Amino acid sequence: TTGSYITFAEGWNGTTKTLYIFSNLDNPMSYTGGATATAMTTGGGPGQLPLDWSASNWPVAVVAHRARIVGFGNANFPHNVYGTVPGSQNDYNGGESFVQPVYPGSGERLIAGVSWREILYLWKYPRGIFVLNDEDPSIANWSVPKITEAVGVGSPESVVVIEDDVVMLATDGFLYSLSQIQTLGQISVPPFLPLETSQFIKEKLNLSRLDLVRGRWYGHKRQLHFAVPSGTSTVCDARIILDLHTPGSP
């Protein structure tokens, strides 16, 4: 099941600070101030969106990564990630823009991503976590190593950056820590919370509608919130709240 999503990223359009607004149901927008946002130009030319993006094939999510704005999850090429020219973040077709396939044989589609510690992590539905290796100056030498196929997520907002980690509510109904997954790899991926607590939370969720999940980190409260559908609900009618005031004890 696929929901409707709106995601945001702050960037630079070449001349001014810009808020980029992406929805899988509409043309990506940019906002630089004033009363309205502006639809970004389609067509595949310089300063425009990728030719792959069009009606019924808009990207699911947007992420600010280093000096680029990155989008992905369009239905026609669900395993591709698209990046702008650095510093000119309306331009997906210039000389330093990129399109990178991410394990097309693994998972159904890209659904979420975060830039954490200057590294772009990408999640698939129903399973799969990957990392963009973009350290080489030549885009031709970039790669997308797989972190694990044991865990995936159902919505762009199922993944949340907190103070010193990334926490996700996965398609199996458990919460996971990215740092733990990276440490243990594909051998063993334990939940973020104690197993009894994790199982209790899982049993309260509508696992068939985790495409609805919305996560937020409230730094001033040191609380991580996930709005979730419970039971047989088809809307987010419950909330998981993790209070991280006590170090090591969420």
Side-chain angles (χ1 to χ4, degrees), residues 23-28 42-43 49-59 74-76:
S23 167
N24 59 320
L25 300 181
D26 205 352
N27 196 118
T42 59
L49 297 173
L51 193 60
D52 293 344
W53 295 357
S54 60
S56 76
N57 289 309
W58 300 121
N74 40 302
N76 52 345

Side-chain angles (χ1 to χ4, degrees), residues 102-167:
V102 179
Y103 275 78
S106 177
E108 292 184 17
R109 60 186 179 274
L110 289 167
I111 189 68
V114 298
S115 182
W116 183 52
R117 296 178 176 174
E118 295 294 304
I119 299 173
L120 180 63
Y121 296 89
L122 298 161
W123 280 256
K124 285 193 179 184
Y125 171 86
R127 287 175 297 279
I129 305 176
F130 308 84
V131 57
L132 178 65
N133 181 359
D134 57 358
E135 291 295 329
D136 196 289
S138 173
I139 293 174
N141 295 328
W142 290 5
S143 62
V144 190
K146 181 193 305 178
I147 296 176
T148 183
E149 282 190 324
V151 175
V153 299
S155 93
E157 296 180 80
S158 295
V159 180
V160 182
V161 177
I162 62 173
E163 290 174 341
D164 56 358
D165 207 341
V166 178
V167 177

